[in-house]
């Protein structure tokens, strides 16, 4: 049976080998298809096609995560640039895209940051329709707790900046917080009493793997080549212009190379001889066993270095601040679990009997001002979309859209103009430390 | 668990220390360029592999400790020429 199946699919592949360069037949996902395939037991087509590695592409994107795939998708969809390859040394979405805690929000601190992240949130709102892929975006509201006067002042500041940019964001008191999240200990007796919170109703959580797969499928359908297990080992630069990349599967010529990696972004930029003001630190996260739904919103506490949300399956997802030293190690630590459990119980004492299922770590490329670095570099044709610290996932769609426009038109879109590499020479930093992450 | 070999206290848990990283030489304000100053402020080497760096034993002897740490495996050995 198994042999018969294998030879069947082999012969099918051989007969269609000649036509494999043609984009595959477009098949839309729909409820009708789900029912008909469910009843007939029909096979679903591969989500993205395997293509042979070519020796030349117009654009080579290094990093097959959300940012790389989104850039490729918008290059093909908005600008008609389809001779594009996305290379990943592992599998698609295996880095930061699959390790974040899937929280989306736009209540940042600087006008530049707020505008940028809010564009991303808008793109996320329409993403399922655009990609024809259920990304399970749940806009359940986002609470950032303030446990002291300083934090409360920052929340008020953020709320005012947000409102000026037309974003739904306000400071609420303990009674309102208790109504939204009954399990929170909002009493005066808490170790860190809750004085108020920044409430951001459009924030929420999403299924991060689905976002990656949706972009991969949509980009693949437009003719983008997705190459997994293809590690870039060098970047060729001649007379100040990029000419191609070297990989473990041979050399690829390309006039445009985009560094969309996270964690390894300085190592890739080093290959092109471009210095980055970036250091890499791990960030750890953990998930509990599933329980009945009780937590409707995302809850963040900067003072306690923790953020919590409940997935559709019922697990609680916890994240923390970055580990307090630079490292490329993605090994979890016991100190993290101990600290996390203690801090979560200060917020919600009734969770004391819940068990953790697993913990993991992802790599965060931290920049001095907690804002990303996007745009051209001193090497002609070598672009970067890096330095995504702890805020890369929520910015994926807008970063892809803007980077694609930048590459296609050779003009810097206004929305990413403040985030160029040159800001570290002019000193025009975009300080987001107060809103980008917890525990800084 | 990561342990740091403190020359004064012996091997201690990493949570007792503050990470200071590779030391950067502060350029003289009198004869540095604006670009040189910005490089000193913002740019740090971020290698994958062994790095010589300093840690501050905040919850111990409160002295600086020089070590070589592999940033991939977090294996730590005392830096060559470290005190004691």
């Amino acid at each position: 049976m198994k042999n018969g199946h294998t030879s069947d699919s082999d012969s099918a592949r051989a007969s269609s080998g000649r036509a494999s360069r043609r984009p595959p037949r477009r098949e839309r996902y729909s409820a009708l298809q789900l029912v008909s395939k469910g009843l007939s037991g029909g096979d679903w087509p591969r989500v993205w096609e395997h293509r042979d590695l070519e020796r030349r592409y117009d654009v080579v994107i290094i990093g097959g995560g959300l940012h790389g795939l989104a850039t490729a998708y918008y290059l093909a969809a908005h600008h008609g640039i389809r001779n594009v390859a996305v290379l990943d040394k592992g599998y698609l979405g295996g880095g930061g895209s699959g390790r974040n805690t899937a929280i989306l929000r736009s209540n940042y601190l600087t006008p530049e940051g707020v505008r940028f992240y809010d564009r991303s949130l808008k793109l996320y709102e329409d993403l399922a329709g655009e990609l024809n892929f259920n990304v399970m975006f749940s806009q359940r509201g986002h609470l950032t707790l303030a446990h002291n006067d300083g934090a409360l002042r920052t929340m008020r500041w953020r709320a005012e900046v947000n409102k000026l940019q037309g974003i739904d964001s306000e400071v609420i008191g303990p009674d309102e917080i208790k109504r939204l999240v009954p399990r929170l200990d909002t009493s005066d007796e808490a170790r860190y009493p809750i004085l108020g919170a920044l409430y951001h109703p459009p924030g929420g959580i999403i299924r991060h793997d689905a976002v990656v797969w949706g972009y991969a499928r949509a980009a693949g359908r437009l003719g983008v080549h997705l190459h997994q297990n293809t590690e870039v080992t060098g970047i060729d630069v001649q007379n100040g212009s990029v000419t191609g990349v070297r990989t473990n599967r041979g050399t690829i010529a390309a006039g445009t190379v985009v560094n969309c990696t996270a964690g390894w972004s300085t190592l890739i930029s080093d290959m092109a001889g471009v210095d980055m003001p970036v250091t890499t630190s791990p960030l750890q996260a953990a998930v509990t066993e599933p329980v009945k739904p009780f937590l409707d919103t995302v809850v963040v506490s900067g003072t306690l270095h923790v953020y919590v949300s409940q997935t559709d399956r019922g697990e609680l997802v916890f994240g923390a601040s970055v580990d307090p030293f630079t490292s490329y190690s993605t090994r979890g630590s016991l100190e993290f679990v101990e600290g996390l459990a203690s801090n979560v119980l200060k917020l919600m004492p009734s969770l004391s009997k819940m068990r953790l299922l697993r913990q993991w770590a992802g790599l965060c490329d931290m920049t001095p001002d907690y804002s990303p670095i996007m745009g051209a570099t001193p090497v002609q044709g070598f672009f970067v979309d890096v330095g995504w610290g702890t805020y890369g996932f929520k910015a994926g769609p807008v970063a892809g859209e803007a980077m694609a426009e930048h590459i296609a038109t050779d003009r810097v879109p206004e929305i990413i103009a403040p985030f160029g590499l040159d800001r570290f020479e002019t000193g025009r930093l975009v300080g987001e430390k107060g809103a980008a992450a917890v525990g800084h | 668990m990561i342990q740091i070999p403190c020359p004064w206290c012996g091997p201690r848990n990493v949570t007792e220390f503050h990470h200071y990283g590779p030391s950067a030489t502060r350029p003289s304000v009198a004869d540095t360029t604006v670009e040189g100053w910005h490089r000193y402020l913002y740019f740090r080497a971020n290698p994958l592999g062994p790095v010589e760096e300093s840690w501050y034993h905040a919850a111990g002897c409160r002295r600086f400790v020089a070590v070589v740490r592999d940033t991939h495996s977090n294996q730590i050995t005392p830096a060559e020429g470290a005190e004691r």
Side-chain angles (χ1 to χ4, degrees):
Chain A
M1 182 67 194
K2 191 164 184 268
N3 283 340
H5 182 77
T6 309
S7 64
D8 271 0
S9 61
D10 277 350
S11 62
R13 204 174 298 143
S15 66
S16 69
R18 190 178 288 269
S20 70
R21 275 166 190 269
R22 222 176 40 217
R25 192 166 51 90
R26 195 178 173 85
E27 192 160 1
R28 280 190 67 82
Y29 291 152
S30 65
L32 184 68
Q33 236 202 356
L34 188 65
V35 172
S36 80
K37 294 227 185 202
L39 291 174
S40 68
D43 266 348
W44 293 93
R46 288 181 68 93
V47 174
W48 58 82
E49 294 294 315
H50 172 80
R51 310 292 187 88
D52 292 333
L53 189 68
E54 294 187 2
R55 291 292 133 219
R56 162 168 279 286
Y57 289 98
D58 291 343
V59 180
V60 165
I61 294 170
I62 306 170
L66 170 58
H67 283 252
L69 294 166
T71 304
Y73 168 73
Y74 290 112
L75 272 173
H78 289 183
H79 305 283
I81 298 174
R82 298 183 177 194
N83 187 14
V84 176
V86 179
L87 314 180
D88 198 288
K89 73 171 181 174
Y91 58 95
L92 297 188
S97 304
R99 294 165 189 269
N100 60 78
T101 49
I103 296 170
L104 305 183
R105 65 184 173 92
S106 63
N107 57 353
Y108 277 71
L109 183 63
T110 64
E112 297 91 339
V114 173
R115 209 176 302 140
F116 176 75
Y117 290 103
D118 199 53
R119 172 69 189 154
S120 210
L121 204 59
K122 294 284 185 302
L123 288 169
Y124 267 124
E125 284 173 357
D126 298 331
L127 201 60
E130 166 142 16
L131 301 180
N132 180 229
F133 206 101
N134 184 6
V135 293
M136 297 166 76
F137 185 16
S138 161
Q139 294 189 282
R140 50 182 59 197
H142 183 282
L143 281 173
T144 316
L145 304 177
H147 302 271
N148 54 53
D149 289 343
L152 201 56
R153 253 196 315 275
T154 308
M155 299 312 158
R156 293 222 167 88
W157 177 6
R158 280 169 66 181
E160 295 311 314
V161 174
N162 294 167
K163 283 180 210 163
L164 275 175
Q165 301 294 329
I167 284 155
D168 192 357
S169 175
E170 60 173 333
V171 174
I172 59 173
D175 293 344
E176 180 86 348
I177 296 169
K178 187 78 181 173
R179 194 184 60 75
L180 287 165
V181 190
R183 292 272 166 175
L184 270 182
D185 180 5
T186 51
S187 68
D188 293 343
E189 274 70 52
R191 172 67 184 81
Y192 296 98
I194 295 167
L195 305 183
L198 185 65
Y199 181 42
H200 179 48
I205 55 171
I206 196 165
R207 180 149 187 237
H208 54 201
D209 293 326
V211 178
V212 169
W213 298 333
Y215 271 116
R217 173 169 171 267
R221 299 262 155 135
L222 293 171
V224 170
H225 287 201
L226 310 173
H227 297 296
Q228 305 185 91
N229 296 317
T230 308
E231 182 173 0
V232 171
T233 55
I235 296 174
D236 293 323
V237 178
Q238 277 172 13
N239 303 325
S241 297
V242 76
T243 57
V245 296
R246 276 166 278 149
T247 75
N248 59 347
R249 295 170 61 196
T251 306
I252 304 168
T256 302
V257 174
V258 192
N259 177 4
C260 284
T261 58
W264 299 271
S265 70
T266 50
L267 304 176
I268 297 288
S269 290
D270 285 349
M271 292 176 188
V274 175
D275 285 344
M276 290 283 161
V278 168
T279 57
T280 303
S281 291
L283 187 149
Q284 298 189 49
V287 64
T288 68
E289 60 189 336
V291 292
K292 279 185 181 175
F294 72 92
L295 181 62
D296 292 335
T297 61
V298 181
V299 176
V300 181
S301 168
T303 302
L304 293 170
H305 299 201
V306 70
Y307 34 96
V308 192
S309 67
Q310 188 169 23
T311 68
D312 295 324
R313 276 196 301 247
E315 303 137 330
L316 293 184
V317 180
F318 301 124
S321 47
V322 291
D323 285 356
F325 51 89
T326 60
S327 175
Y328 288 90
S329 166
T330 48
R331 197 174 210 180
S333 69
L334 182 64
E335 292 94 347
F336 162 73
V337 178
E338 281 184 322
L340 178 85
S342 141
N343 288 334
V344 167
L345 293 184
K346 280 174 196 142
L347 286 178
M348 296 189 235
S350 56
L351 302 188
S352 62
K353 294 285 188 288
M354 282 186 80
R355 284 170 295 190
L356 281 186
L357 277 189
R358 60 182 181 275
Q359 69 181 108
W360 66 94
L363 297 182
C364 298
D365 284 342
M366 308 308 293
T367 58
D369 57 357
Y370 290 74
S371 283
I373 303 170
M374 283 180 280
T377 65
V379 174
Q380 182 73 31
F382 181 67
F383 293 82
V384 292
D385 172 29
V386 301
W388 282 107
T390 58
Y391 29 87
F393 183 74
K394 60 179 69 69
V398 67
E401 184 189 53
M403 285 303 293
E405 186 184 338
H406 188 6
I407 293 160
T409 64
D410 216 19
R411 282 193 308 273
V412 185
E414 203 185 328
I415 198 160
I416 62 165
F419 302 113
L421 181 59
D422 56 352
R423 74 176 185 272
F424 299 99
E425 282 163 30
T426 59
R428 286 203 183 90
L429 271 55
V430 187
E432 282 288 5
K433 199 174 185 176
V438 294
H440 300 294
Chain B
M1 183 165 298
I2 304 171
Q3 287 193 325
I4 292 180
C6 177
W8 295 280
C9 313
R12 304 298 285 253
N13 192 345
V14 69
T15 52
E16 293 183 10
F17 295 80
H18 282 312
H19 179 247
Y20 272 76
S23 61
T25 317
R26 183 190 174 106
S28 156
V29 179
D31 55 350
T32 189
T33 58
V34 172
E35 198 198 14
W37 185 250
H38 282 137
R39 288 200 73 78
Y40 163 69
L41 278 184
Y42 302 128
F43 286 75
R44 298 281 179 278
N46 190 30
L48 175 66
V51 184
E52 187 169 335
E53 60 182 15
S54 50
W55 291 73
Y56 176 62
H57 199 177
C61 59
R62 295 197 274 173
R63 294 206 219 192
F64 282 89
V65 179
V67 299
V68 174
R69 180 173 60 100
D70 187 315
T71 56
H72 183 62
S73 63
N74 281 332
Q75 288 219 324
I76 294 176
T77 48
E80 210 168 296
E83 260 185 88
R84 272 177 56 168

